[in-house]
Amino acid sequence: MESFGKALILFGILLVVLGVIFSAGVKIPWLGQLPGDIYIRRDNASFYFPLTTCVLLSLILTLVLYLFRR
């Protein structure tokens, strides 16, 4: 049960960090507008996929989780 408690604490910390990132994400002007993000606008529809932003956030989260596991 001790490892389950530690996992819950880590999950809670991760949720807090993600909440801070999402609430501050509006204030980071370059987030979501990086080169490599796909944005297609047509007459009646638009499509947006932040490919580079997803890769960057994945690398950052991987590094943070790697540091927590050490």
Side-chain angles (χ1 to χ4, degrees), residues 13-54:
I13 290 171
L14 181 65
L15 282 176
V16 168
V17 169
L18 284 174
V20 168
I21 289 172
F22 285 137
S23 64
V26 176
K27 298 174 185 170
I28 303 173
W30 52 267
L31 191 63
Q33 298 176 353
L34 295 173
D37 290 346
I38 299 170
Y39 184 67
I40 300 171
R41 182 181 298 171
R42 300 292 168 132
D43 294 334
N44 296 341
S46 62
F47 175 75
Y48 176 69
F49 184 71
L51 182 64
T52 307
T53 303
C54 289

Side-chain angles (χ1 to χ4, degrees), residues 48-69:
Y48 176 69
F49 184 71
L51 182 64
T52 307
T53 303
C54 289
V55 170
L56 180 68
L57 290 176
S58 175
L59 288 173
I60 291 170
L61 286 174
T62 301
L63 179 64
V64 168
L65 290 175
Y66 173 76
L67 293 174
F68 271 118
R69 289 184 186 192

